[in-house]
Amino acid sequence: THIACRYCSARTRLSKMGLFRKIKQLPLFAMVFTYVFLASALIISTLCVLLVVIWPVSKNLYRRISSWLVYTVFAQFAWVTIEWAGMKLHAFGEKEAYDHLGRESCLVILNHRGELDWLAGFTIAARYNFMHTMRALAKRSVLYVPGFGQLLWVLEFPFLSRNFAKDEVMIKRASEEYKEYPFPIQICIFCEGTRFTEAKYERGVQYAKEKGLKELKHHLIPRTKGFAIIAQYCKLNGTNIYISRL
C-alpha cells in the first residue's frame, strides 16, 4: 500500500497577526521549547529506568507504561510542528490504509529527503494515534543525542552502526522482541539509509549503472539487507507493508 505525504507552510488564525508571528520567531521561545523537552525527557527516562523493576514481573506491563510515558515527550514535537510552527501535512493514499494505521502491526518504508523527515513521521503518528507504538531502526549516533536517544533506548529501538555483521544481530534481536509485544507496533525504516543530496544521488546513479540496476529518478538506491530481515519478520507474522513517500 502506498502513502504519500507533503509538508507545506500554513498560517494559523493566530499567525495571521503580524505581531504575533514576529513574537513566535524570537529565539527565546526556541530556548524555552528546548529546555522543556530536555527536562521532560530527563524526567521520563529516569522514571522509566526506575520502573524497570516491573520488567522481571511483566515485560508487557513495562512496555505499555514506558510507551505512554515516552509519548508525553514525543507529542511535544507534533504540537510544536502543527500548532506553533503552523505547518500542515497533506497525506494522500488509499482510505483503507489510513483506516488501519495504528490498529495493526505493520512495516512502514520511508524515503529520506532531509533532516526533518522524522517530524513528518511524528505528525502522522500523532494524527492516527500510534506515536506510542511506533518503532524504527535508528543510527547508533542517535543514542547519544541528549534526551532523545535515551527515550529511544527505553522503547527498545535497535541502534545500527552500519556494520552488517553487528547490525544483523541487532535487527534479528529486535524482531524477536517485537513478537512479544502485547499491542500492534509500526516499524519504520528509511531504506535509503541516508539523507538525499545531489552528490549522493549521482553516486547512486553511477552504482546502478555499474551493477545493472534500475536508475531511480527521485530516490537513492535502497540498502536492502536490513529491510530483508525485517520483511522476513513481517512475512512470518502476517504483517502488512506500507510504502510512504515524502
Side-chain angles (χ1 to χ4, degrees):
T1 302
H2 289 77
I3 297 173
C5 303
R6 180 174 54 131
Y7 253 129
C8 71
S9 177
R11 296 181 179 180
T12 61
R13 285 180 296 177
L14 290 177
S15 63
K16 290 180 180 179
M17 301 166 57
L19 178 60
F20 190 76
R21 289 185 63 192
K22 292 181 179 179
I23 292 175
K24 291 204 301 182
Q25 294 173 1
L26 292 175
L28 173 63
F29 289 101
M31 294 172 61
V32 170
F33 291 144
T34 301
Y35 173 78
V36 170
F37 168 75
L38 290 175
S40 57
L42 178 61
I43 293 171
I44 294 300
S45 57
T46 302
L47 184 57
C48 287
V49 170
L50 295 177
L51 289 174
V52 79
V53 294
I54 301 175
W55 184 271
V57 179
S58 175
K59 291 182 181 180
N60 289 339
L61 178 60
Y62 176 80
R63 285 166 172 156
R64 287 184 183 277
I65 294 175
S66 60
S67 292
W68 279 110
L69 287 174
V70 173
Y71 166 82
T72 63
V73 182
F74 285 174
Q76 297 173 30
F77 291 116
W79 182 87
V80 170
T81 302
I82 300 171
E83 301 297 336
W84 186 261
M87 300 296 289
K88 181 178 289 186
L89 181 68
H90 295 282
F92 308 89
E94 300 172 7
K95 183 180 182 298
E96 182 181 359
Y98 288 104
D99 289 342
H100 287 86
L101 271 180
R103 300 180 182 179
E104 64 178 9
S105 293
C106 64
L107 172 62
V108 182
I109 302 172
L110 304 142
N111 64 322
H112 205 350
R113 296 296 302 179
E115 296 180 354
L116 299 180
D117 291 352
W118 56 276
L119 277 179
F122 274 14
T123 304
I124 283 288
R127 170 63 178 81
Y128 291 95
N129 195 34
F130 64 91
M131 184 179 287
H132 62 294
T133 59
M134 181 175 61
R135 300 296 186 267
L137 307 186
K139 293 187 295 186
R140 187 159 190 82
S141 58
V142 177
L143 177 61
Y144 305 106
V145 176
F148 191 74
Q150 291 69 51
L151 295 177
L152 298 188
W153 178 81
V154 167
L155 295 180
E156 300 178 277
F157 277 47
F159 295 96
L160 310 182
S161 58
R162 293 187 176 176
N163 179 328
F164 186 68
K166 296 179 180 179
D167 294 345
E168 182 179 18
V169 175
M170 294 292 294
I171 296 173
K172 287 183 176 180
R173 182 185 302 168
S175 298
E176 291 300 319
E177 291 173 349
Y178 292 156
K179 292 178 183 178
E180 303 175 359
Y181 272 53
F183 46 78
I185 61 170
Q186 297 72 40
I187 306 172
C188 300
I189 177 173
F190 291 105
C191 280
E192 293 167 304
T194 186
R195 293 186 297 272
F196 183 96
T197 66
E198 288 300 328
K200 293 174 182 176
Y201 175 74
E202 293 299 329
R203 290 199 296 268
V205 170
Q206 185 62 34
Y207 177 83
K209 290 179 179 178
E210 294 174 356
K211 300 296 182 179
L213 303 175
K214 180 180 179 180
E215 297 178 25
L216 304 179
K217 293 182 178 181
H218 307 290
H219 302 87
L220 303 179
I221 299 297
R223 305 186 182 197
T224 59
K225 292 182 179 179
F227 166 76
I229 299 173
I230 294 293
Q232 183 65 18
Y233 156 81
C234 294
K235 182 178 179 180
L236 293 175
N237 293 275
T239 304
N240 289 329
I241 298 178
Y242 295 91
I243 301 174
S244 177
R245 294 180 292 113
L246 183 65

